Amino acid sequence: MAFVNDKNVLLHQNAANKDEALRTIANYAATLSITDDADAVYDAFQAREGIDKTGMVDGFAVPHCKSDAVKDAAVIIFKNEQPVEWPSLDDKPVDIAMALLIPEGEAGTTHLRLLSKSAVLLMNADFKATLRGSNDAAQIAQALNEGLGL
C-alpha cells in the first residue's frame, strides 16, 4: 500500500492565510482518521511555525507537526488557489504545502527522515513542476511516493 494516496491531496483550496491553511490541513487529518484531535494537530503546527519558517522557495512550504494526537505518520498535500503570506526562505508567498504529521513517538526517526526527503524533493525541478502543474490527485500522490521512496 502506498504511503500517500489520492485522498491525502487537497486541491483547489481557498485559504485566506497560513493559519487558515494549517487549520484546514488539521481538520482534514481528522477526516482521514490520522488524528482524533484536530485542535491538537493545529496547535502543534502553530508551535512549530513559532520556532522557524517552514516556507521553502518557489511557493512551497513544509509545515510539520509532532504530536501524540497523530496516530500514524502521514503527508497531506495542500494546493491553494492563490498564494498566501507565509514566512519563507525566498520571502515569497506560498500556494503549495506539503504537510508532515508525525506521532510524537517517531519524532527522532520518521520525522527527520520525512523532513530531509521532503527538502530534497523540493529542490527537484521535475517534482515541483508535477506538483504545481497537476490537479490530478493520484498523479501527485504517485510523484510524492516515488520521491519519498516509500
Side-chain angles (χ1 to χ4, degrees):
M1 182 173 138
F3 182 67
V4 178
N5 64 49
D6 58 350
K7 290 183 180 71
N8 294 62
V9 181
L10 282 169
L11 302 170
H12 310 294
Q13 299 300 300
N14 288 293
N17 54 50
K18 175 184 71 160
D19 293 340
E20 198 174 303
L22 294 173
R23 171 55 71 188
T24 300
I25 293 165
N27 289 346
Y28 193 63
T31 300
L32 294 177
S33 297
I34 294 166
T35 184
D36 292 327
D37 189 346
D39 289 338
V41 168
Y42 174 75
D43 290 345
F45 275 130
Q46 289 293 23
R48 176 57 188 85
E49 292 293 319
I51 295 170
D52 198 6
K53 56 185 88 173
T54 59
M56 305 304 278
V57 297
D58 302 325
F60 291 88
V62 185
H64 46 288
C65 73
K66 295 176 284 187
S67 173
D68 287 332
V70 176
K71 295 192 255 181
D72 296 301
V75 177
I76 295 175
I77 297 292
F78 178 92
K79 286 187 71 172
N80 213 42
E81 288 294 308
Q82 70 282 337
V84 297
E85 287 302 313
W86 195 308
S88 63
L89 297 176
D90 62 1
D91 295 320
K92 293 182 181 171
V94 165
D95 60 339
I96 300 175
M98 187 163 50
L100 311 180
L101 299 97
I102 311 296
E104 187 67 48
E106 298 177 34
T109 55
T110 307
H111 180 247
L112 295 176
R113 193 167 53 248
L114 275 178
L115 196 55
S116 69
K117 287 183 177 191
S118 298
V120 169
L121 268 182
L122 290 179
M123 291 187 280
N124 180 309
D126 291 339
F127 176 76
K128 290 193 299 189
T130 298
L131 249 64
R132 182 148 318 279
S134 178
N135 280 315
D136 178 335
Q139 180 184 24
I140 291 169
Q142 179 181 349
L144 190 55
N145 284 317
E146 289 173 1
L148 293 174
L150 301 171

